Amino acid sequence: SSKEARTHVDKLFSLRVRLDSIEPGELSATERATLDALRETLDGRLDAANACSPWTWQVDPLDGPAIHLLQLPVYQTIQTKDDAAALAARYKASTPFFDGHIKALRAGLEKGAVAPAPVVKRMIASLDGALAVPAADSPMAKAKLPDSGPGWHMEEVVRVRKTLVKAVEEGAYPALTVYRDFLKSEVLPKARDQKPGAAGLPGVATCYHAMIK
């Protein structure tokens, strides 16, 4: 969402300020080089974020928030029942997250900032495919559970699996459905034709300049 994106930018800025408080004279040559590199990297990221505001227009079918949600079981492994509960909670929290994401994209649309049509179409196709799979058969609900260990008897495995399926049915799938429908009805009709990246965006020159600095 735009709020989360701005929070991230604020954290980058705070880190940049902290770097300025470091006295280079107290560092070794290697440490000074590292400090300079960090400063340059953060300056570039801050400039690009402020100039391009990608959270208001970017739709990413390879590494965007929808893909992150679908791939959560790959990165959030389950070793304990608390781990399983945390994964289910993340699925259930999908709706408010995507509500914020959609709100940010709508703000971009109002300013004429929108993703390229081919990218939006790929994202819609990806979501259509994922949502066509019954929740019980979704990779999200089939997160790998421990084969054995304290508390992981068969009845518990079945209970946890049902909890994950319910979380996907009631949390992840409705959120992804709303997002897909939003892309179809509001973003795609206004999407840019065959203009990759930030090309065609309002203020594109400033955005590109910030990205290549």
mmCIF file with all atom_site columns, all heavy atoms in Angstrom, residues 166-188:
data_model
loop_
_atom_site.group_PDB
_atom_site.id
_atom_site.type_symbol
_atom_site.label_atom_id
_atom_site.label_alt_id
_atom_site.label_comp_id
_atom_site.label_asym_id
_atom_site.label_entity_id
_atom_site.label_seq_id
_atom_site.pdbx_PDB_ins_code
_atom_site.Cartn_x
_atom_site.Cartn_y
_atom_site.Cartn_z
_atom_site.occupancy
_atom_site.B_iso_or_equiv
_atom_site.pdbx_formal_charge
_atom_site.auth_seq_id
_atom_site.auth_comp_id
_atom_site.auth_asym_id
_atom_site.auth_atom_id
_atom_site.pdbx_PDB_model_num
ATOM 1   N N   . LYS A 1 166 ? -9.067  -23.215 5.251   1.00 0.00 ? 166 LYS A N   1
ATOM 2   C CA  . LYS A 1 166 ? -10.068 -22.212 5.603   1.00 0.00 ? 166 LYS A CA  1
ATOM 3   C C   . LYS A 1 166 ? -9.500  -20.801 5.466   1.00 0.00 ? 166 LYS A C   1
ATOM 4   O O   . LYS A 1 166 ? -10.194 -19.885 4.993   1.00 0.00 ? 166 LYS A O   1
ATOM 5   C CB  . LYS A 1 166 ? -10.550 -22.441 7.029   1.00 0.00 ? 166 LYS A CB  1
ATOM 6   C CG  . LYS A 1 166 ? -11.679 -21.497 7.447   1.00 0.00 ? 166 LYS A CG  1
ATOM 7   C CD  . LYS A 1 166 ? -12.186 -21.828 8.843   1.00 0.00 ? 166 LYS A CD  1
ATOM 8   C CE  . LYS A 1 166 ? -13.331 -20.900 9.236   1.00 0.00 ? 166 LYS A CE  1
ATOM 9   N NZ  . LYS A 1 166 ? -13.839 -21.196 10.596  1.00 0.00 ? 166 LYS A NZ  1
ATOM 10  N N   . ALA A 1 167 ? -8.245  -20.615 5.861   1.00 0.00 ? 167 ALA A N   1
ATOM 11  C CA  . ALA A 1 167 ? -7.616  -19.294 5.760   1.00 0.00 ? 167 ALA A CA  1
ATOM 12  C C   . ALA A 1 167 ? -7.459  -18.875 4.305   1.00 0.00 ? 167 ALA A C   1
ATOM 13  O O   . ALA A 1 167 ? -7.602  -17.695 3.961   1.00 0.00 ? 167 ALA A O   1
ATOM 14  C CB  . ALA A 1 167 ? -6.261  -19.305 6.463   1.00 0.00 ? 167 ALA A CB  1
ATOM 15  N N   . VAL A 1 168 ? -7.167  -19.839 3.435   1.00 0.00 ? 168 VAL A N   1
ATOM 16  C CA  . VAL A 1 168 ? -7.055  -19.540 2.002   1.00 0.00 ? 168 VAL A CA  1
ATOM 17  C C   . VAL A 1 168 ? -8.435  -19.206 1.445   1.00 0.00 ? 168 VAL A C   1
ATOM 18  O O   . VAL A 1 168 ? -8.600  -18.229 0.694   1.00 0.00 ? 168 VAL A O   1
ATOM 19  C CB  . VAL A 1 168 ? -6.436  -20.738 1.241   1.00 0.00 ? 168 VAL A CB  1
ATOM 20  C CG1 . VAL A 1 168 ? -6.512  -20.503 -0.267  1.00 0.00 ? 168 VAL A CG1 1
ATOM 21  C CG2 . VAL A 1 168 ? -4.984  -20.939 1.663   1.00 0.00 ? 168 VAL A CG2 1
ATOM 22  N N   . GLU A 1 169 ? -9.439  -20.003 1.814   1.00 0.00 ? 169 GLU A N   1
ATOM 23  C CA  . GLU A 1 169 ? -10.809 -19.788 1.324   1.00 0.00 ? 169 GLU A CA  1
ATOM 24  C C   . GLU A 1 169 ? -11.379 -18.448 1.766   1.00 0.00 ? 169 GLU A C   1
ATOM 25  O O   . GLU A 1 169 ? -12.045 -17.755 0.986   1.00 0.00 ? 169 GLU A O   1
ATOM 26  C CB  . GLU A 1 169 ? -11.725 -20.909 1.835   1.00 0.00 ? 169 GLU A CB  1
ATOM 27  C CG  . GLU A 1 169 ? -11.508 -22.255 1.174   1.00 0.00 ? 169 GLU A CG  1
ATOM 28  C CD  . GLU A 1 169 ? -12.396 -23.323 1.760   1.00 0.00 ? 169 GLU A CD  1
ATOM 29  O OE1 . GLU A 1 169 ? -12.824 -23.183 2.933   1.00 0.00 ? 169 GLU A OE1 1
ATOM 30  O OE2 . GLU A 1 169 ? -12.671 -24.315 1.058   1.00 0.00 ? 169 GLU A OE2 1
ATOM 31  N N   . GLU A 1 170 ? -11.113 -18.082 3.016   1.00 0.00 ? 170 GLU A N   1
ATOM 32  C CA  . GLU A 1 170 ? -11.752 -16.895 3.591   1.00 0.00 ? 170 GLU A CA  1
ATOM 33  C C   . GLU A 1 170 ? -10.871 -15.649 3.575   1.00 0.00 ? 170 GLU A C   1
ATOM 34  O O   . GLU A 1 170 ? -11.383 -14.546 3.775   1.00 0.00 ? 170 GLU A O   1
ATOM 35  C CB  . GLU A 1 170 ? -12.178 -17.200 5.029   1.00 0.00 ? 170 GLU A CB  1
ATOM 36  C CG  . GLU A 1 170 ? -13.202 -18.321 5.137   1.00 0.00 ? 170 GLU A CG  1
ATOM 37  C CD  . GLU A 1 170 ? -13.616 -18.605 6.572   1.00 0.00 ? 170 GLU A CD  1
ATOM 38  O OE1 . GLU A 1 170 ? -13.049 -17.970 7.498   1.00 0.00 ? 170 GLU A OE1 1
ATOM 39  O OE2 . GLU A 1 170 ? -14.498 -19.468 6.782   1.00 0.00 ? 170 GLU A OE2 1
ATOM 40  N N   . GLY A 1 171 ? -9.578  -15.831 3.342   1.00 0.00 ? 171 GLY A N   1
ATOM 41  C CA  . GLY A 1 171 ? -8.668  -14.695 3.368   1.00 0.00 ? 171 GLY A CA  1
ATOM 42  C C   . GLY A 1 171 ? -7.956  -14.452 2.054   1.00 0.00 ? 171 GLY A C   1
ATOM 43  O O   . GLY A 1 171 ? -8.199  -13.456 1.367   1.00 0.00 ? 171 GLY A O   1
ATOM 44  N N   . ALA A 1 172 ? -7.085  -15.372 1.671   1.00 0.00 ? 172 ALA A N   1
ATOM 45  C CA  . ALA A 1 172 ? -6.250  -15.165 0.488   1.00 0.00 ? 172 ALA A CA  1
ATOM 46  C C   . ALA A 1 172 ? -7.051  -15.116 -0.811  1.00 0.00 ? 172 ALA A C   1
ATOM 47  O O   . ALA A 1 172 ? -6.889  -14.191 -1.622  1.00 0.00 ? 172 ALA A O   1
ATOM 48  C CB  . ALA A 1 172 ? -5.182  -16.262 0.411   1.00 0.00 ? 172 ALA A CB  1
ATOM 49  N N   . TYR A 1 173 ? -7.930  -16.103 -1.017  1.00 0.00 ? 173 TYR A N   1
ATOM 50  C CA  . TYR A 1 173 ? -8.660  -16.155 -2.279  1.00 0.00 ? 173 TYR A CA  1
ATOM 51  C C   . TYR A 1 173 ? -9.596  -14.952 -2.481  1.00 0.00 ? 173 TYR A C   1
ATOM 52  O O   . TYR A 1 173 ? -9.614  -14.364 -3.578  1.00 0.00 ? 173 TYR A O   1
ATOM 53  C CB  . TYR A 1 173 ? -9.437  -17.465 -2.382  1.00 0.00 ? 173 TYR A CB  1
ATOM 54  C CG  . TYR A 1 173 ? -8.666  -18.576 -3.087  1.00 0.00 ? 173 TYR A CG  1
ATOM 55  C CD1 . TYR A 1 173 ? -7.275  -18.569 -3.129  1.00 0.00 ? 173 TYR A CD1 1
ATOM 56  C CD2 . TYR A 1 173 ? -9.328  -19.641 -3.694  1.00 0.00 ? 173 TYR A CD2 1
ATOM 57  C CE1 . TYR A 1 173 ? -6.566  -19.575 -3.757  1.00 0.00 ? 173 TYR A CE1 1
ATOM 58  C CE2 . TYR A 1 173 ? -8.620  -20.655 -4.331  1.00 0.00 ? 173 TYR A CE2 1
ATOM 59  C CZ  . TYR A 1 173 ? -7.244  -20.624 -4.364  1.00 0.00 ? 173 TYR A CZ  1
ATOM 60  O OH  . TYR A 1 173 ? -6.547  -21.628 -5.007  1.00 0.00 ? 173 TYR A OH  1
ATOM 61  N N   . PRO A 1 174 ? -10.382 -14.554 -1.484  1.00 0.00 ? 174 PRO A N   1
ATOM 62  C CA  . PRO A 1 174 ? -11.216 -13.358 -1.686  1.00 0.00 ? 174 PRO A CA  1
ATOM 63  C C   . PRO A 1 174 ? -10.389 -12.105 -1.993  1.00 0.00 ? 174 PRO A C   1
ATOM 64  O O   . PRO A 1 174 ? -10.779 -11.299 -2.834  1.00 0.00 ? 174 PRO A O   1
ATOM 65  C CB  . PRO A 1 174 ? -11.958 -13.230 -0.354  1.00 0.00 ? 174 PRO A CB  1
ATOM 66  C CG  . PRO A 1 174 ? -12.006 -14.620 0.182   1.00 0.00 ? 174 PRO A CG  1
ATOM 67  C CD  . PRO A 1 174 ? -10.699 -15.232 -0.212  1.00 0.00 ? 174 PRO A CD  1
ATOM 68  N N   . ALA A 1 175 ? -9.251  -11.959 -1.317  1.00 0.00 ? 175 ALA A N   1
ATOM 69  C CA  . ALA A 1 175 ? -8.407  -10.784 -1.554  1.00 0.00 ? 175 ALA A CA  1
ATOM 70  C C   . ALA A 1 175 ? -7.847  -10.795 -2.970  1.00 0.00 ? 175 ALA A C   1
ATOM 71  O O   . ALA A 1 175 ? -7.849  -9.764  -3.663  1.00 0.00 ? 175 ALA A O   1
ATOM 72  C CB  . ALA A 1 175 ? -7.269  -10.753 -0.534  1.00 0.00 ? 175 ALA A CB  1
ATOM 73  N N   . LEU A 1 176 ? -7.369  -11.959 -3.410  1.00 0.00 ? 176 LEU A N   1
ATOM 74  C CA  . LEU A 1 176 ? -6.823  -12.064 -4.762  1.00 0.00 ? 176 LEU A CA  1
ATOM 75  C C   . LEU A 1 176 ? -7.908  -11.878 -5.816  1.00 0.00 ? 176 LEU A C   1
ATOM 76  O O   . LEU A 1 176 ? -7.656  -11.323 -6.887  1.00 0.00 ? 176 LEU A O   1
ATOM 77  C CB  . LEU A 1 176 ? -6.138  -13.419 -4.947  1.00 0.00 ? 176 LEU A CB  1
ATOM 78  C CG  . LEU A 1 176 ? -4.849  -13.624 -4.144  1.00 0.00 ? 176 LEU A CG  1
ATOM 79  C CD1 . LEU A 1 176 ? -4.350  -15.061 -4.290  1.00 0.00 ? 176 LEU A CD1 1
ATOM 80  C CD2 . LEU A 1 176 ? -3.759  -12.648 -4.582  1.00 0.00 ? 176 LEU A CD2 1
ATOM 81  N N   . THR A 1 177 ? -9.122  -12.322 -5.512  1.00 0.00 ? 177 THR A N   1
ATOM 82  C CA  . THR A 1 177 ? -10.246 -12.142 -6.438  1.00 0.00 ? 177 THR A CA  1
ATOM 83  C C   . THR A 1 177 ? -10.586 -10.664 -6.609  1.00 0.00 ? 177 THR A C   1
ATOM 84  O O   . THR A 1 177 ? -10.775 -10.178 -7.737  1.00 0.00 ? 177 THR A O   1
ATOM 85  C CB  . THR A 1 177 ? -11.486 -12.904 -5.938  1.00 0.00 ? 177 THR A CB  1
ATOM 86  O OG1 . THR A 1 177 ? -11.193 -14.306 -5.870  1.00 0.00 ? 177 THR A OG1 1
ATOM 87  C CG2 . THR A 1 177 ? -12.672 -12.687 -6.870  1.00 0.00 ? 177 THR A CG2 1
ATOM 88  N N   . VAL A 1 178 ? -10.631 -9.949  -5.504  1.00 0.00 ? 178 VAL A N   1
ATOM 89  C CA  . VAL A 1 178 ? -10.914 -8.516  -5.564  1.00 0.00 ? 178 VAL A CA  1
ATOM 90  C C   . VAL A 1 178 ? -9.809  -7.794  -6.347  1.00 0.00 ? 178 VAL A C   1
ATOM 91  O O   . VAL A 1 178 ? -10.091 -6.912  -7.172  1.00 0.00 ? 178 VAL A O   1
ATOM 92  C CB  . VAL A 1 178 ? -11.038 -7.925  -4.146  1.00 0.00 ? 178 VAL A CB  1
ATOM 93  C CG1 . VAL A 1 178 ? -11.071 -6.400  -4.188  1.00 0.00 ? 178 VAL A CG1 1
ATOM 94  C CG2 . VAL A 1 178 ? -12.290 -8.447  -3.459  1.00 0.00 ? 178 VAL A CG2 1
ATOM 95  N N   . TYR A 1 179 ? -8.573  -8.180  -6.108  1.00 0.00 ? 179 TYR A N   1
ATOM 96  C CA  . TYR A 1 179 ? -7.448  -7.561  -6.811  1.00 0.00 ? 179 TYR A CA  1
ATOM 97  C C   . TYR A 1 179 ? -7.522  -7.838  -8.312  1.00 0.00 ? 179 TYR A C   1
ATOM 98  O O   . TYR A 1 179 ? -7.362  -6.931  -9.134  1.00 0.00 ? 179 TYR A O   1
ATOM 99  C CB  . TYR A 1 179 ? -6.145  -8.094  -6.229  1.00 0.00 ? 179 TYR A CB  1
ATOM 100 C CG  . TYR A 1 179 ? -4.892  -7.540  -6.861  1.00 0.00 ? 179 TYR A CG  1
ATOM 101 C CD1 . TYR A 1 179 ? -4.705  -6.170  -7.017  1.00 0.00 ? 179 TYR A CD1 1
ATOM 102 C CD2 . TYR A 1 179 ? -3.885  -8.395  -7.302  1.00 0.00 ? 179 TYR A CD2 1
ATOM 103 C CE1 . TYR A 1 179 ? -3.544  -5.656  -7.601  1.00 0.00 ? 179 TYR A CE1 1
ATOM 104 C CE2 . TYR A 1 179 ? -2.719  -7.892  -7.876  1.00 0.00 ? 179 TYR A CE2 1
ATOM 105 C CZ  . TYR A 1 179 ? -2.549  -6.536  -8.022  1.00 0.00 ? 179 TYR A CZ  1
ATOM 106 O OH  . TYR A 1 179 ? -1.406  -6.043  -8.604  1.00 0.00 ? 179 TYR A OH  1
ATOM 107 N N   . ARG A 1 180 ? -7.775  -9.106  -8.670  1.00 0.00 ? 180 ARG A N   1
ATOM 108 C CA  . ARG A 1 180 ? -7.885  -9.455  -10.091 1.00 0.00 ? 180 ARG A CA  1
ATOM 109 C C   . ARG A 1 180 ? -9.012  -8.673  -10.761 1.00 0.00 ? 180 ARG A C   1
ATOM 110 O O   . ARG A 1 180 ? -8.838  -8.128  -11.864 1.00 0.00 ? 180 ARG A O   1
ATOM 111 C CB  . ARG A 1 180 ? -8.146  -10.947 -10.240 1.00 0.00 ? 180 ARG A CB  1
ATOM 112 C CG  . ARG A 1 180 ? -8.315  -11.396 -11.696 1.00 0.00 ? 180 ARG A CG  1
ATOM 113 C CD  . ARG A 1 180 ? -9.048  -12.711 -11.794 1.00 0.00 ? 180 ARG A CD  1
ATOM 114 N NE  . ARG A 1 180 ? -10.375 -12.638 -11.189 1.00 0.00 ? 180 ARG A NE  1
ATOM 115 C CZ  . ARG A 1 180 ? -11.139 -13.705 -10.983 1.00 0.00 ? 180 ARG A CZ  1
ATOM 116 N NH1 . ARG A 1 180 ? -10.712 -14.905 -11.309 1.00 0.00 ? 180 ARG A NH1 1
ATOM 117 N NH2 . ARG A 1 180 ? -12.346 -13.555 -10.437 1.00 0.00 ? 180 ARG A NH2 1
ATOM 118 N N   . ASP A 1 181 ? -10.168 -8.615  -10.101 1.00 0.00 ? 181 ASP A N   1
ATOM 119 C CA  . ASP A 1 181 ? -11.311 -7.910  -10.688 1.00 0.00 ? 181 ASP A CA  1
ATOM 120 C C   . ASP A 1 181 ? -11.024 -6.415  -10.833 1.00 0.00 ? 181 ASP A C   1
ATOM 121 O O   . ASP A 1 181 ? -11.465 -5.784  -11.803 1.00 0.00 ? 181 ASP A O   1
ATOM 122 C CB  . ASP A 1 181 ? -12.558 -8.136  -9.834  1.00 0.00 ? 181 ASP A CB  1
ATOM 123 C CG  . ASP A 1 181 ? -13.021 -9.591  -9.862  1.00 0.00 ? 181 ASP A CG  1
ATOM 124 O OD1 . ASP A 1 181 ? -12.537 -10.354 -10.719 1.00 0.00 ? 181 ASP A OD1 1
ATOM 125 O OD2 . ASP A 1 181 ? -13.860 -9.958  -9.011  1.00 0.00 ? 181 ASP A OD2 1
ATOM 126 N N   . PHE A 1 182 ? -10.296 -5.873  -9.881  1.00 0.00 ? 182 PHE A N   1
ATOM 127 C CA  . PHE A 1 182 ? -9.902  -4.467  -9.964  1.00 0.00 ? 182 PHE A CA  1
ATOM 128 C C   . PHE A 1 182 ? -8.993  -4.240  -11.166 1.00 0.00 ? 182 PHE A C   1
ATOM 129 O O   . PHE A 1 182 ? -9.157  -3.266  -11.908 1.00 0.00 ? 182 PHE A O   1
ATOM 130 C CB  . PHE A 1 182 ? -9.195  -4.050  -8.674  1.00 0.00 ? 182 PHE A CB  1
ATOM 131 C CG  . PHE A 1 182 ? -8.407  -2.778  -8.773  1.00 0.00 ? 182 PHE A CG  1
ATOM 132 C CD1 . PHE A 1 182 ? -9.041  -1.554  -8.856  1.00 0.00 ? 182 PHE A CD1 1
ATOM 133 C CD2 . PHE A 1 182 ? -7.015  -2.814  -8.798  1.00 0.00 ? 182 PHE A CD2 1
ATOM 134 C CE1 . PHE A 1 182 ? -8.312  -0.370  -8.956  1.00 0.00 ? 182 PHE A CE1 1
ATOM 135 C CE2 . PHE A 1 182 ? -6.279  -1.641  -8.893  1.00 0.00 ? 182 PHE A CE2 1
ATOM 136 C CZ  . PHE A 1 182 ? -6.930  -0.418  -8.984  1.00 0.00 ? 182 PHE A CZ  1
ATOM 137 N N   . LEU A 1 183 ? -8.037  -5.137  -11.367 1.00 0.00 ? 183 LEU A N   1
ATOM 138 C CA  . LEU A 1 183 ? -7.136  -5.012  -12.515 1.00 0.00 ? 183 LEU A CA  1
ATOM 139 C C   . LEU A 1 183 ? -7.918  -5.087  -13.823 1.00 0.00 ? 183 LEU A C   1
ATOM 140 O O   . LEU A 1 183 ? -7.645  -4.328  -14.763 1.00 0.00 ? 183 LEU A O   1
ATOM 141 C CB  . LEU A 1 183 ? -6.070  -6.109  -12.482 1.00 0.00 ? 183 LEU A CB  1
ATOM 142 C CG  . LEU A 1 183 ? -5.050  -6.051  -11.347 1.00 0.00 ? 183 LEU A CG  1
ATOM 143 C CD1 . LEU A 1 183 ? -4.089  -7.236  -11.436 1.00 0.00 ? 183 LEU A CD1 1
ATOM 144 C CD2 . LEU A 1 183 ? -4.254  -4.744  -11.370 1.00 0.00 ? 183 LEU A CD2 1
ATOM 145 N N   . LYS A 1 184 ? -8.887  -5.983  -13.872 1.00 0.00 ? 184 LYS A N   1
ATOM 146 C CA  . LYS A 1 184 ? -9.679  -6.148  -15.091 1.00 0.00 ? 184 LYS A CA  1
ATOM 147 C C   . LYS A 1 184 ? -10.551 -4.934  -15.377 1.00 0.00 ? 184 LYS A C   1
ATOM 148 O O   . LYS A 1 184 ? -10.622 -4.456  -16.518 1.00 0.00 ? 184 LYS A O   1
ATOM 149 C CB  . LYS A 1 184 ? -10.580 -7.392  -14.970 1.00 0.00 ? 184 LYS A CB  1
ATOM 150 C CG  . LYS A 1 184 ? -9.880  -8.717  -15.141 1.00 0.00 ? 184 LYS A CG  1
ATOM 151 C CD  . LYS A 1 184 ? -10.895 -9.855  -15.069 1.00 0.00 ? 184 LYS A CD  1
ATOM 152 C CE  . LYS A 1 184 ? -10.252 -11.203 -15.309 1.00 0.00 ? 184 LYS A CE  1
ATOM 153 N NZ  . LYS A 1 184 ? -11.242 -12.324 -15.252 1.00 0.00 ? 184 LYS A NZ  1
ATOM 154 N N   . SER A 1 185 ? -11.234 -4.458  -14.350 1.00 0.00 ? 185 SER A N   1
ATOM 155 C CA  . SER A 1 185 ? -12.260 -3.431  -14.560 1.00 0.00 ? 185 SER A CA  1
ATOM 156 C C   . SER A 1 185 ? -11.733 -2.006  -14.557 1.00 0.00 ? 185 SER A C   1
ATOM 157 O O   . SER A 1 185 ? -12.282 -1.134  -15.237 1.00 0.00 ? 185 SER A O   1
ATOM 158 C CB  . SER A 1 185 ? -13.353 -3.565  -13.497 1.00 0.00 ? 185 SER A CB  1
ATOM 159 O OG  . SER A 1 185 ? -12.825 -3.321  -12.199 1.00 0.00 ? 185 SER A OG  1
ATOM 160 N N   . GLU A 1 186 ? -10.644 -1.746  -13.791 1.00 0.00 ? 186 GLU A N   1
ATOM 161 C CA  . GLU A 1 186 ? -10.187 -0.362  -13.645 1.00 0.00 ? 186 GLU A CA  1
ATOM 162 C C   . GLU A 1 186 ? -8.789  -0.107  -14.223 1.00 0.00 ? 186 GLU A C   1
ATOM 163 O O   . GLU A 1 186 ? -8.552  0.967   -14.784 1.00 0.00 ? 186 GLU A O   1
ATOM 164 C CB  . GLU A 1 186 ? -10.201 0.033   -12.160 1.00 0.00 ? 186 GLU A CB  1
ATOM 165 C CG  . GLU A 1 186 ? -11.590 0.013   -11.538 1.00 0.00 ? 186 GLU A CG  1
ATOM 166 C CD  . GLU A 1 186 ? -11.610 0.556   -10.121 1.00 0.00 ? 186 GLU A CD  1
ATOM 167 O OE1 . GLU A 1 186 ? -10.932 1.577   -9.869  1.00 0.00 ? 186 GLU A OE1 1
ATOM 168 O OE2 . GLU A 1 186 ? -12.277 -0.052  -9.258  1.00 0.00 ? 186 GLU A OE2 1
ATOM 169 N N   . VAL A 1 187 ? -7.891  -1.056  -14.082 1.00 0.00 ? 187 VAL A N   1
ATOM 170 C CA  . VAL A 1 187 ? -6.522  -0.818  -14.534 1.00 0.00 ? 187 VAL A CA  1
ATOM 171 C C   . VAL A 1 187 ? -6.339  -1.129  -16.019 1.00 0.00 ? 187 VAL A C   1
ATOM 172 O O   . VAL A 1 187 ? -5.816  -0.306  -16.779 1.00 0.00 ? 187 VAL A O   1
ATOM 173 C CB  . VAL A 1 187 ? -5.516  -1.641  -13.698 1.00 0.00 ? 187 VAL A CB  1
ATOM 174 C CG1 . VAL A 1 187 ? -4.095  -1.454  -14.230 1.00 0.00 ? 187 VAL A CG1 1
ATOM 175 C CG2 . VAL A 1 187 ? -5.578  -1.216  -12.235 1.00 0.00 ? 187 VAL A CG2 1
ATOM 176 N N   . LEU A 1 188 ? -6.765  -2.302  -16.439 1.00 0.00 ? 188 LEU A N   1
ATOM 177 C CA  . LEU A 1 188 ? -6.548  -2.711  -17.827 1.00 0.00 ? 188 LEU A CA  1
ATOM 178 C C   . LEU A 1 188 ? -7.128  -1.736  -18.849 1.00 0.00 ? 188 LEU A C   1
ATOM 179 O O   . LEU A 1 188 ? -6.465  -1.429  -19.850 1.00 0.00 ? 188 LEU A O   1
ATOM 180 C CB  . LEU A 1 188 ? -7.097  -4.123  -18.051 1.00 0.00 ? 188 LEU A CB  1
ATOM 181 C CG  . LEU A 1 188 ? -6.794  -4.740  -19.421 1.00 0.00 ? 188 LEU A CG  1
ATOM 182 C CD1 . LEU A 1 188 ? -5.294  -4.782  -19.671 1.00 0.00 ? 188 LEU A CD1 1
ATOM 183 C CD2 . LEU A 1 188 ? -7.385  -6.150  -19.504 1.00 0.00 ? 188 LEU A CD2 1
#
